Amino acid sequence: MAVSRGVSGAGRALGLNTLVRLRREQGSDDAPGYPSLPEGMTAPLGSDAVALPARLGARIVPWLPRVGCVYADETHWWWIVPADSDYALPWPSPAHYEPGARIPEAARLINRPDDTVPYTPPILLYLALCRVTGTTPDWSRPISA
């Protein structure tokens, strides 16, 4: 789906990806903000977060070859992933996807990778979450007609 803008129908088409990005950039002023990245880290692909109940956090770590920045409070762990890691990927319950990595201020950094990139690989995080929750990955489900 493309939306045209401009005068008399002239202009460039906006794709779904652009519309999603623009909507996310609007954000909300009363939403919690992203905590500062640790010193020396950069997020070249933008940042979103996947929130999981704390009881699942430690169970997922062994399934991941690389763990990026993870923030936690008493009830949740937030895994930093590249922006738009939810594109065409419905994260299974009980995960909650947070565009813009909106994380409560009370959350504290519990894992920092050794390099300068804060990301946990999103597909591997998704598969690990499916594994510990007994959920079939979305692309493996039968299609109904």
Side-chain angles (χ1 to χ4, degrees):
M1 175 174 121
V3 176
S4 293
R5 65 178 182 184
V7 180
S8 303
R12 69 175 222 224
L14 297 178
L16 184 57
N17 288 344
T18 301
L19 293 173
V20 168
R21 183 181 51 76
L22 290 172
R23 173 67 181 129
R24 287 182 175 176
E25 286 175 358
Q26 286 178 334
S28 171
D29 291 339
D30 59 352
Y34 178 71
S36 298
L37 286 175
E39 188 172 331
M41 298 204 98
T42 62
L45 302 176
S47 294
D48 288 346
V50 177
L52 304 175
R55 63 181 167 76
L56 295 178
R59 291 181 57 200
I60 287 177
V61 171
W63 294 99
L64 298 169
R66 180 187 194 284
V67 177
C69 287
V70 179
Y71 293 82
D73 64 14
E74 297 80 30
T75 60
H76 289 88
W77 286 24
W78 288 266
W79 303 73
I80 304 302
V81 295
D84 300 324
S85 292
D86 64 333
Y87 181 75
L89 184 65
W91 287 81
S93 182
H96 181 74
Y97 194 83
E98 287 291 337
R102 291 182 302 268
I103 297 172
E105 290 180 25
R108 298 291 172 240
L109 183 68
I110 62 168
N111 189 74
R112 182 197 195 282
D114 292 332
D115 58 17
T116 61
V117 181
Y119 309 124
T120 296
I123 297 299
L124 299 178
L125 178 60
Y126 173 84
L127 291 172
L129 178 61
C130 287
R131 174 76 174 189
V132 301
T133 61
T135 303
T136 302
D138 193 59
W139 56 79
S140 299
R141 294 184 183 142
I143 298 174
S144 61

